[in-house]
């Protein structure tokens, strides 16, 4: 009898799947939707706190009056001036603080969170390593070094910082991969190679401070290397949005390749994939994503490690669902961390990178303790 | 190393592989045109590093269509390397691998994947992947970048899962399966590619006895029921005898002998290739192989 119910259940499942299989979105299930909705709620909630509170006291009602101020929202010219820069003198000081400081800061956190999470998720599949992230693989330190070099030595080229960040990140990643390569790589070798490259690049960064005479530049450089969102404005958003769109589209398009890469190099090849080309292309997407966030926010560690891991434990390892989950959980984590960084100690702001490090370090430890087979994905 | 081929049996069977001999002449090919081999290695030389000795040195091997061909030999005899060459994981230094008479180098990777499925020896899948999702990846070579799953994709997946008989595991996570179940799930994934030939690299290693037998039955049924060409590397010669129609015995990267298992597996082969003193009897249940003991090798003979 049990066999019969089994058979029936199977046919039922079969029928359900057939219904779902017609569309492109059969892989979206309740868990993923719930995760996305919950993350969105956290992001909006933390964003609301971020916008409402701060050193310059604006009353809560006044803040929300400003946010939903028809003079801004319903005026295309004002919105245009905000986003693309322009004359905003007609706005009040309170309005300016909310619209040019607090709201952009939340938005930058959202985009940086997306990019870091995507980057980590891609690196984890490409290296088949649960411990991979732009931070661990040296991409962040490479990008950071490039940024610092630009600031310290080629000050005139500050406009090209994102480009240099991407180049530095790519260089560091290839270095790490080359060091770890021994007829193939293993998770532990990759992490060790990442530590080596990060240490060297970190020393170079510290060394560079001695060549910077201007104290302002030192502070700016320090902000880069610890990772901060303070001072973010619409120009950062203009910088990161195009790259975010690009990396989101490319990574979602590459989700199936990522899934197949997870089955191992031999299997991927036997399924007809050009493994090296796919790895190279997907790594490039991940490097661009990481470098774009380094370029606007400096080096923020651990987001790219933790977020894909959290999402994986909730939605499973299907990269279509995983990447979508990352796009929601990444922003949630970073916006919350930034609220803590900005508001936890009244009167002074911590760089958000310190917060994510404080959250991420113990999480890394937990991963180490929990997994018998360190890092194998 | 002296080939133990009798030429009469060769002509009878119409099979042209000869150990380390020159290229197949066109006359040979013509005489067996009605029974063309599905996969053919011609003077195949495979090596990992140009500086090293070739692992497979100038071999010509035919794999009959729709039959199970077993590659056997001791460790280091080149059987897995040969399989990698056939699967185009290793580019030949010299010679050709022909699939239906066409060099596999002229197929695109995806085209080849639709013709030729490969089950590697060590497979890794994310623990949280369901069996169905794993099998679905077998459709990769049939889909372009933005293609959705079509009905024929689903039919192939259902067929693959049914053929291997793991319908009851369909929604289980791969991480929760036993070794044998995992292996069956992987075979289903390769089947979902709908290849016309399938290569398996030591699929029974590390499995318990029951699953070893189950796996051999699945392999047998692929040939018997769906007329698939199967090439399987096996460690265990009694398993090979049990499952295959055609057996290729390799020694030091060269074909020692090939043909129907009953003709190839002799006490002499067991002694010379495997270095084991063996009693081989043909009984009602097929060939019985009873290893007795190791043979002391005299070193002078090799040179």
């Amino acid at each position: 009898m049990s066999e019969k119910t089994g058979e029936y259940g199977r046919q039922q499942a079969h029928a359900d799947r057939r219904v779902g299989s017609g569309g492109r979105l059969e892989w979206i299930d309740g868990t993923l939707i719930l995760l996305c909705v919950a993350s969105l709620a956290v992001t909006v909630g933390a964003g609301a706190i971020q916008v409402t509170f701060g050193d310059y006291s604006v009353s809560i009602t006044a803040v929300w009056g400003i946010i939903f101020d028809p003079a801004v929202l319903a005026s295309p010219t004002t919105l245009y001036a905000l986003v693309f820069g322009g004359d905003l003198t007609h706005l009040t000081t309170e309005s300016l603080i909310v619209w040019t400081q607090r709201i952009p800061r939340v938005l930058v956190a959202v985009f940086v969170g997306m990019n870091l999470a995507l980057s980590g998720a891609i690196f984890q599949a490409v290296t088949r390593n649960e411990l991979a992230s732009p931070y661990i693989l040296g991409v962040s330190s490479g990008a950071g070094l490039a940024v610092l070099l630009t600031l310290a030595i080629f000050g005139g080229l500050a406009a090209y910082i994102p480009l240099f960040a991407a180049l530095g990140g790519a260089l560091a990643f290839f270095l790490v991969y080359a060091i770890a390569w021994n007829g193939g790589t293993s998770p532990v070798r990759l992490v060790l190679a990442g530590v080596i490259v990060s240490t060297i690049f970190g020393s170079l960064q510290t060394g560079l401070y001695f060549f910077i005479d201007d104290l302002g530049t030192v502070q700016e450089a320090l902000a880069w290397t610890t990772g901060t969102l303070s001072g973010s404005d619409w120009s950062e958003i203009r910088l990161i949005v195009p790259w975010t769109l690009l990396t989101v589209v490319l990574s979602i398009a590459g989700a199936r390749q990522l899934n197949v890469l997870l089955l191992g190099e031999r299997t991927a090849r036997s399924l007809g994939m050009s493994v090296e080309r796919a790895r190279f292309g997907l790594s490039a997407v991940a490097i661009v994503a990481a470098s774009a966030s380094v370029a606007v926010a400096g080096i923020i560690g651990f987001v790219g490690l933790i977020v894909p891991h959290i999402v994986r434990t909730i939605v499973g390892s299907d990269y279509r669902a995983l990447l979508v989950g990352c796009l929601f959980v990444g922003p949630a984590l970073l916006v919350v961390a930034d609220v803590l960084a900005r508001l936890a100690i009244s009167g002074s702001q911590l760089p958000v990178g310190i917060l994510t490090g404080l959250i991420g370090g113990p999480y890394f430890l937990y991963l180490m303790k929990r997994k018998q087979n360190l890092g194998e994905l | 190393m002296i080939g133990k081929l009798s030429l009469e049996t060769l002509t009878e069977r119409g099979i042209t592989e000869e150990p380390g001999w020159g290229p197949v002449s066109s006359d040979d090919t013509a005489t067996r045109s009605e029974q063309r081999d599905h996969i053919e290695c011609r003077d195949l030389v495979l090596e990992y590093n140009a500086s090293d000795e070739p692992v497979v040195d100038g071999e010509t091997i035919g794999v009959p269509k729709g039959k199970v061909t077993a590659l056997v030999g001791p460790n280091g005899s080149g059987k897995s390397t040969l399989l990698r060459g056939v699967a185009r994981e290793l580019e030949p230094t010299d010679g050709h691998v022909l699939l239906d008479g066409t060099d596999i180098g002229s197929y695109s990777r995806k085209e080849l994947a639709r013709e030729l499925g490969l089950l590697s020896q060590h497979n890794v899948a994310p623990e949280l992947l369901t069996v169905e999702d794993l099998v679905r990846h077998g459709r990769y070579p049939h889909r372009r970048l933005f293609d959705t799953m079509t009905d024929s994709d689903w039919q192939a997946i259902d067929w693959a899962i049914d053929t291997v008989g793991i319908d009851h595991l369909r929604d289980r996570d791969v991480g929760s399966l036993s070794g044998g179940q995992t292996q069956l799930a992987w075979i289903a994934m390769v089947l979902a590619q709908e290849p016309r030939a399938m290569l398996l690299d030591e699929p029974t290693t590390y499995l318990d006895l029951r699953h070893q037998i189950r796996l051999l039955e699945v392999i047998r049924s692929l040939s018997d029921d769906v007329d698939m060409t199967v090439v399987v590397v096996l460690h265990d010669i009694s398993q090979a005898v049990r499952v295959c129609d055609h057996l290729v015995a390799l020694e030091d990267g060269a074909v020692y002998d090939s043909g129907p298992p009953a003709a190839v597996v002799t006490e002499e082969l067991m002694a010379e290739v495997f270095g084991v003193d063996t009693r081989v009897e043909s009984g009602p249940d097929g060939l019985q192989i009873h290893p007795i003991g190791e043979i002391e090798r005299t070193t002078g003979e090799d040179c």
Side-chain angles (χ1 to χ4, degrees), chain B residues 51-86:
Chain B
S51 53
D52 293 350
E53 284 270 293
V55 183
V56 172
D57 197 358
E59 289 313 301
T60 296
I61 295 165
V63 173
K65 197 177 212 107
K67 299 277 197 289
V68 177
T69 299
L71 299 179
V72 297
N75 286 342
S77 60
K79 50 192 193 308
S80 289
T81 308
L82 183 62
L83 200 75
R84 295 188 62 174
V86 172

Side-chain angles (χ1 to χ4, degrees), chain A:
Chain A
M1 194 189 92
S2 65
E3 217 164 72
K4 261 191 175 166
T5 36
E7 179 66 13
Y8 173 76
R10 192 182 72 75
Q11 280 174 358
Q12 198 60 25
H14 203 78
D16 290 348
R17 204 183 55 243
R18 286 252 183 262
V19 171
S21 73
R24 266 152 214 262
L25 305 174
E26 2 92 38
W27 45 272
I28 295 182
D29 63 1
T31 326
L32 178 62
I33 292 170
L34 197 68
L35 177 71
C36 293
V37 170
S39 303
L40 199 62
V42 170
T43 311
V44 171
I49 293 172
Q50 188 79 310
V51 172
T52 311
F53 301 100
D55 289 341
Y56 189 96
S57 76
V58 186
S59 76
I60 297 176
T61 46
V63 166
W64 291 89
I66 289 167
I67 291 173
F68 294 105
D69 186 359
V72 178
L73 282 183
S75 148
T77 49
T78 313
L79 282 176
Y80 184 86
L82 271 173
V83 176
F84 294 100
D87 181 35
L88 291 166
T89 41
H90 59 289
L91 295 177
T92 61
T93 313
E94 285 83 1
S95 202
L96 276 174
I97 283 175
V98 169
W99 275 103
T100 64
Q101 290 180 14
R102 293 182 182 175
I103 289 178
R105 182 172 181 152
V106 173
L107 291 178
V108 170
V110 166
F111 290 119
V112 169
M114 279 181 182
N115 276 302
L116 287 176
L118 273 189
S119 176
I122 294 173
F123 276 131
Q124 288 176 6
V126 168
T127 61
R128 292 200 44 250
N129 182 348
E130 201 178 27
L131 303 180
S133 72
Y135 192 68
I136 307 278
L137 291 175
V139 175
S140 302
S141 64
L145 179 63
V147 167
L148 214 59
L149 267 175
T150 317
L151 284 175
I153 297 171
F154 311 107
L157 300 172
Y160 300 103
I161 279 182
L163 191 67
F164 291 132
L167 286 176
L171 177 76
F173 177 70
F174 290 125
L175 258 180
V176 166
Y177 223 90
I179 292 173
W181 188 264
N182 183 15
T185 64
S186 76
V188 174
R189 285 184 69 88
L190 271 173
V191 171
L192 290 179
V195 169
I196 293 168
V197 170
S198 297
T199 309
I200 294 171
F201 280 27
S203 303
L204 289 175
Q205 283 180 20
T206 317
L208 271 179
Y209 283 112
F210 291 96
F211 295 97
I212 306 175
D213 299 324
D214 177 37
L215 200 63
T217 316
V218 169
Q219 280 191 332
E220 198 184 342
L222 204 61
W224 280 107
T225 48
T226 40
T228 181
L229 293 167
S230 73
S232 299
D233 59 23
W234 288 96
S235 67
E236 262 94 27
I237 294 176
R238 286 199 297 275
L239 189 66
I240 199 172
V241 164
W243 296 110
T244 311
L245 286 176
L246 184 75
T247 54
V248 167
V249 169
L250 288 178
S251 55
I252 300 278
R256 196 191 303 156
Q257 334 288 332
L258 290 165
N259 275 330
V260 172
L261 276 177
L262 286 182
L263 302 179
E265 194 173 332
R266 284 191 81 181
T267 306
R269 188 168 293 130
S270 78
L271 284 172
M273 176 187 277
S274 312
V275 175
E276 281 76 21
R277 207 189 307 164
R279 269 198 187 144
F280 187 83
L282 290 163
S283 301
V285 174
I287 289 169
V288 168
S291 305
S293 39
V294 171
V296 299
I299 301 171
I300 298 176
F302 290 105
V303 175
L305 171 77
I306 307 172
V307 173
H309 193 265
I310 294 173
V311 178
R312 188 176 294 116
T313 47
I314 296 172
V315 304
S317 50
D318 184 339
Y319 257 74
R320 293 169 300 180
L322 185 85
L323 289 174
V324 171
C326 283
L327 289 180
F328 286 85
V329 176
L333 180 73
L334 202 57
V335 173
V336 169
D338 194 41
V339 168
L340 293 174
R342 179 168 164 259
L343 301 173
I345 302 172
S346 92
S348 84
Q349 292 194 16
L350 289 172
V352 68
I354 290 177
L355 256 292
T356 58
L358 285 176
I359 304 168
Y363 193 84
F364 201 90
L365 190 68
Y366 153 80
L367 268 185
M368 256 178 72
K369 287 274 176 204
R370 194 184 58 93
K371 293 277 282 193
Q372 205 59 269
N373 216 343
L374 185 71
E376 284 280 358
L377 205 123

